[in-house]
Amino acid sequence: MKKPEQCAQHSLEKYCVEHGKHTKAQDTLETAELCHHDEKGGKLQTALDQYLEKELYPMHMPGHKRRCAVMPTNVLRYDFTEVSGTDDLHHAEGILKDAMERTRRLVGSDRTWYLVNGSTCGNLAGVSAIVPYDGEVIVARNCHRSVFHALELRHAHPHWLWPSMEPETGIFNSVRPEEVEALLSAYPNSAAVVLTSPSYEGVVSDIRSIAELCHRHDVPLMVDEAHGAHFGLVPTAGFPDSAVHQGADLSVQSAHKTLLGMTQTAYLHLRGNRISEETLEEKLAIFETSSPSYPLMLSLAGCTDFMETEGEACFCAWAVALHEFDEIIRPLRCLRVLCHGRDTRSTHAFYDFDPSKLVVDCSRTSMTGEELMELLRTRFSYELEMAQPAYALAMTGPGDDFTELRRFGEALCTIDRELEDEASQRSLSPQTVDASVRRVERALDEESSVESVLKQARNSVDSCADFDAFMVENQESVMTPCDAVE
């Protein structure tokens, strides 16, 4: 019997063959058909080809992972402009209107627009439509820069929502409904609430409760859901529900991040009548190109087609692969992957979390996120999405070869064992222990909070092994090197 990911891979390849879409096996032939010889793209193509020769597996966006893009194989054949029969994105009345209507039905919105300038375009148009010039607005401080650009263009006066932070990683926690309620009461002239969910790292906020609060105050809620285009499409796969389903008035999604769309493809979804369709279209005409790419729009329509025909099988296999990844990394003791393996959501201040994101926390080791990302690249041939000092972020997607998720988990386990050996062998000088003890004793005198004391202890020593030695010395707990301190 085939494993779930094998069935999903067969479905993906079968879909691509039947619909004339692009698969990895066609790369060489397709390049030859379109370019005729290697120098057509000049130095840029040469540099990209050299990168591809490294055969790094992409644990980053786009979600198709350069393996299956749901668009025609001969891109040039479909590179149209607005002529008779091809419709016009800015005045859609024919085939583009029908395509967007199919997507609208799939996601459950009242109106959906295709975006070829990315979610950035949707954020610029959406904020401009809901915030009057020189008006007030409540905005989460961890929003994308495109939201801030829109605020600047509107000369808006933002009232900031400041989500708390994870102390070890620096990742923003969920926006709490009570914080929204407090600002709505304090600033009754605010025209709207704008927030991001999920965040880049996968942290999800309670959109349903926040939407209800906004509507009680008679203001719309706009959600930058760029990293959540896969939400709400296949409930059985276990991903969080979408902002549209939970009552958001306006949401923006990037099809290229977590679906199979080409880079720059996105959606703008409207629900309810609190925001004018005409105003949104007026703002889209300003911020979106007047020459939209038909290959990109075909890619968006292809995402809808794929989800209608193969989406459930693919998403469920994706979920199974993530569960298997969780089992593989359960032995981790130095590293941890947020909300995966032994790490649970209950240990975080997250309302919900997107399991497609793999946030590898190395804050309790001697390694930085940048160093971890480099090691995974050079030794294990994985290219991650990004790195910060305390963690590295890997993105999974529906286009993944799900066997690679197993190999990625095994790579993390290998690195973890080496970090544990290193921590066990590292000698601890008496001077370091004595200094650590004195610093934490002072903290105990000054602050009764256990969390504060533990944070002080972590900052007092150079490694997780040093911390363990200190804790044993002070009879607080007995821990093996690299075990998490909860």
Side-chain angles (χ1 to χ4, degrees), residues 132-135 150-157:
Y133 189 80
D134 210 29
L151 297 178
E152 183 179 5
L153 290 171
R154 300 303 289 167
H155 203 260
H157 301 277

Side-chain angles (χ1 to χ4, degrees), residues 430-450:
Q431 293 85 356
T432 301
V433 175
D434 289 343
S436 300
V437 170
R438 286 194 297 274
R439 278 194 287 269
V440 179
E441 283 176 343
R442 285 199 300 270
L444 284 167
D445 291 337
E446 298 169 2
E447 179 65 66
S448 60
S449 167
V450 174

Side-chain angles (χ1 to χ4, degrees), residues 56 372-384:
L56 299 173
L372 176 60
M373 186 173 182
E374 177 66 16
L375 180 61
L376 285 164
R377 178 189 301 118
T378 57
R379 183 173 164 189
F380 298 96
S381 299
Y382 284 111
E383 188 71 78
L384 271 60

Side-chain angles (χ1 to χ4, degrees), residues 1 30 112-113 133 135 155 158 170 213 215 236 254 307 348 432 458 480:
M1 180 180 293
E30 186 61 23
T112 290
W113 289 268
Y133 189 80
H155 203 260
L213 284 170
H215 298 161
T236 53
S254 289
M307 289 307 304
H348 304 276
T432 301
R458 291 191 187 101
T480 57

Side-chain angles (χ1 to χ4, degrees), residues 406-431:
R406 292 198 202 97
R407 190 172 74 86
F408 184 66
E410 291 164 358
L412 293 179
C413 288
T414 298
I415 295 171
D416 189 79
R417 287 192 295 270
E418 293 172 357
L419 286 168
E420 186 174 11
D421 290 343
E422 174 190 317
S424 299
Q425 295 168 8
R426 187 180 293 117
S427 61
L428 187 65
S429 69
Q431 293 85 356

Side-chain angles (χ1 to χ4, degrees), residues 167 448-456 458:
S448 60
S449 167
V450 174
E451 181 178 352
S452 175
V453 172
L454 292 179
K455 182 177 180 181
Q456 177 78 26
R458 291 191 187 101

Side-chain angles (χ1 to χ4, degrees), residues 4-35:
E5 68 271 13
Q6 293 175 319
C7 295
Q9 182 62 26
H10 174 74
S11 296
L12 198 63
E13 292 176 351
K14 179 174 177 285
Y15 173 85
C16 291
V17 170
E18 290 178 350
H19 294 77
K21 310 302 186 202
H22 190 86
T23 63
K24 186 177 180 181
Q26 297 167 310
D27 281 346
T28 304
L29 176 61
E30 186 61 23
T31 300
E33 289 177 349
L34 295 180
C35 298

